[in-house]
Amino acid sequence: MALKDRLKTLKRETGQDAPEAPTAPQFADRVLRLRTGGNMPSTRKSPTPVEVVAEAVGGEVIGEGLIRIERCLPLSGAHGDIPLARVLEDHRALPEADGLDARDAVFFDTETTGLSGGTGTAVFMLGLGRLLGEALVVRQYLITSFAAERTMLEDAAGWFESPRALVSFNGKSFDQPLLAARARLSGIADVFHGLRHVDLLHPVRRAYGKRWSDCRLATTEKELLGFSRIDDLPGSEAPAAWFAYLHRGDASRLPGIAIHNHWDIVSLAALLPALADVHRAPGLRGADVLAIARIALKTGDEPKAYALLQEAEQELEETGLLELARLHRGRRDWERAHAIWERLAGDGCGEAVERLAKYYEHQRRDWEKALAFARSLPPSVEREHRCRRLEAKLGE
């Protein structure tokens, strides 16, 4: 990105639009200000008092420049199509959540002064969610000055005395490292350190990275939860909205940030059972069956991978069919493996042709057919060696 464009982006994120060339009256005002020593009445808007901001976002002032917002959502309700009570289910079908008790987890998300991270990026809103009693309690912190960040982190630490896990969406790459850095800069303990972290962005990308145009949280909510936000303030606009308050006293968009962050937290809770459903029956939910089968293989659950691929065989593409044939071969189900290789070889799949050459040589001991398949392989040292070996067998 050119330097000029980078500067424009930075100014937009901080709420500072590029100044226009001064008009004649503006220029006259500047001259007058210089002549009078700068003692001219300021036209800058005074900051909205923190108490007024707290009322606007539905929170309370708990410290200098610090607002806390807390809402309870009964588990008897729903988020989109997902009953919130399902967050208490066993989510072992989702490998990342195997063994996770949602009551031991904190759902979290941040709104920050920039989207690139680094020590120059501060957290101006921290959203947390916990299952307490029969409700999902969402607690949010909003700072109205940089000085309040330490107090925010200290007060939030009280919610991390018993939980043993974190649940986020892209939190491993962005939110958690940023919070750790802010804690170090503030000279306080990193309450996230050592906790298990379930980042739900990874299973979403696994299941839908090749199916959807993007895997943003808003897309995931719409597709998996049946939840669509109305008049939502995009997260990318949050930095400019906060800086507009900090620099110009414009608090008009702060309630929108709080609502956006609130729904982020609730969606994390609803996504746990939704993604577990996807991993139980990916074909029924439009997910990438092969990707789900491969993660099952990686975690040692071959029977699940085999069952998923068998069920979806008619919809599998070449790579998926080769994986299914490999599992058939491992079970010594040569008839089914052979049927898949024959089908793929007819479509020009080189790996299937090679498998057929090996099958007829080692399993059927049909040297003539094995040689015919071997000769149709692309030229290579291995191909020549195989052909010579088969020719010798035929000569014998």
Side-chain angles (χ1 to χ4, degrees), residues 128-328:
L128 307 172
R130 284 190 62 187
L131 293 168
L132 299 174
E134 296 304 312
L136 171 64
V137 181
V138 178
R139 176 180 290 188
Q140 299 167 277
Y141 295 91
L142 171 65
I143 63 173
T144 58
S145 69
F146 284 106
E149 188 180 29
R150 176 191 173 111
T151 308
M152 172 184 69
L153 294 173
E154 289 177 332
D155 194 86
W159 258 26
F160 292 90
E161 293 175 356
S162 59
R164 295 182 294 227
L166 306 169
V167 180
S168 72
F169 199 88
N170 197 34
K172 278 188 177 180
S173 300
F174 184 79
D175 303 82
Q176 184 179 0
L178 178 59
L179 285 167
R182 302 313 298 179
R184 286 194 300 271
L185 288 171
S186 299
I188 61 176
D190 174 16
V191 295
F192 291 97
H193 181 70
L195 294 178
R196 175 185 181 182
H197 193 154
V198 179
D199 189 332
L200 298 181
L201 173 61
H202 302 300
V204 169
R205 279 181 175 166
R206 175 195 309 138
Y208 297 104
K210 296 180 180 179
R211 298 288 190 271
W212 297 345
S213 59
D214 64 72
C215 291
R216 296 180 300 116
L217 182 56
T219 303
T220 306
E221 289 172 335
K222 182 179 179 181
E223 298 292 340
L224 291 188
L225 306 181
F227 177 74
S228 296
R229 305 191 189 200
I230 301 174
D231 297 329
D232 182 55
L233 179 74
S236 59
E237 296 182 18
W242 190 73
F243 276 115
Y245 168 75
L246 199 66
H247 294 156
R248 302 193 299 274
D250 179 7
S252 61
R253 291 192 288 172
L254 295 184
I257 297 174
I259 293 170
H260 173 88
N261 181 263
H262 171 87
W263 289 128
D264 285 351
I265 302 300
V266 181
S267 289
L268 289 175
L271 274 175
L272 273 178
L275 284 169
D277 289 345
V278 168
H279 282 70
R280 287 189 192 96
L284 296 179
R285 291 165 175 82
D288 187 335
V289 176
L290 177 59
I292 304 299
R294 281 178 168 169
I295 196 65
L297 290 171
K298 186 177 180 180
T299 56
D301 194 349
E302 183 177 305
K304 176 181 177 179
Y306 184 66
L308 289 175
L309 292 174
Q310 270 199 301
E311 186 177 353
E313 181 174 354
Q314 298 307 313
E315 289 76 38
L316 292 177
E317 296 178 355
E318 179 180 295
T319 308
L321 288 169
L322 287 171
E323 186 66 56
L324 178 57
R326 187 187 69 81
L327 293 175
H328 284 318

Side-chain angles (χ1 to χ4, degrees), residues 355-392:
R355 290 294 177 189
L356 286 170
K358 293 179 179 179
Y359 167 73
Y360 280 107
E361 178 181 1
H362 301 296
Q363 301 303 319
R364 297 287 295 273
R365 298 185 179 277
D366 187 332
W367 319 132
E368 189 172 348
K369 278 193 175 182
L371 181 58
F373 281 114
R375 284 174 173 167
S376 67
L377 290 170
S380 68
V381 173
E382 183 181 355
R383 170 188 178 275
E384 297 307 315
H385 177 72
R386 185 185 304 280
C387 288
R388 283 196 301 270
R389 184 177 67 245
L390 289 168
E391 288 167 352

